[in-house]
Amino acid sequence: MSHIAEFDAAFAKCPLIAILRGVKPDEVEAIGDELVAAGFTLIEVPMNSPEPLESVSRLARRFAGRAVIGAGTVLKVEQVQQVADAGGTMIISPNANLDVIRASAAAGLVSLPGIMTPSEAFAALDAGATALKLFPAEAASPTVLKAMRAVLPRETRVLPVGGIAPDTMGPWQAAGAPGFGLGSALYKVGLSAADVGANARAFVAAL
């Protein structure tokens, strides 16, 4: 199965991306266990975390066949190959760097760039993006998403990321959001694996 097909299957099971910004390699597997037990199938380690590629590698080995693992805050083309070498198959960015998107698509990896405008959205799709991340969602609104979805190809998945909590997902879903990226309301530095598990279950229940 291609990496894109694996992502599609995981997304269909649970369209929530766990963003573990700041996670350390020695805690990432225990946190991953809690996320997967709660039903999560998509996990991202941002590149500005301590030893992010080591965390990606540990998650990819531990959850092979059970969860799709990737890196976030991927800003440079050379990082795409580094993530792939570590076993990550999702390349997630806060921006729409067309070179990063093209490199990800060329390598058969899932490309999830950040967009805020229709111009960025269309350029990212043309470059080969798998899905789009509306970031920061705090600077947009469900109304903005609905308007954007009216002009984007029907099958385009646009995931709000930034400031999403279990009780704020409803209006976004009504506007056509098929899933979300979850940051500090799910995981922040210092939370125990059990805390993250409790947060994860609350998100899955709200979904």
Side-chain angles (χ1 to χ4, degrees), residues 17-25 27-36 40 42-52 55-56 59 63 68-73 90 92 161 181-193 195-197 199-200:
I17 300 176
I19 303 168
L20 306 181
R21 189 176 308 281
V23 75
K24 296 193 186 80
E27 62 182 347
V28 78
E29 288 169 281
I31 289 169
D33 284 341
E34 288 281 352
L35 289 169
V36 171
F40 276 67
L42 302 163
I43 304 175
E44 162 195 342
V45 178
M47 290 294 279
N48 54 2
S49 305
E51 296 181 79
S55 288
V56 168
L59 289 172
F63 300 109
V68 173
I69 310 300
T73 320
M90 285 189 297
I92 304 172
V161 180
L182 309 176
S184 56
L186 175 68
Y187 170 82
K188 50 180 175 282
V189 173
L191 287 187
S192 70
D195 291 336
V196 179
N199 291 341

Side-chain angles (χ1 to χ4, degrees), residues 16 164-170 173 180 199-207:
L16 301 173
I164 304 298
D167 59 356
T168 62
M169 294 194 292
Q173 288 173 303
F180 300 90
N199 291 341
R201 289 189 293 278
F203 270 109
V204 170
L207 193 69

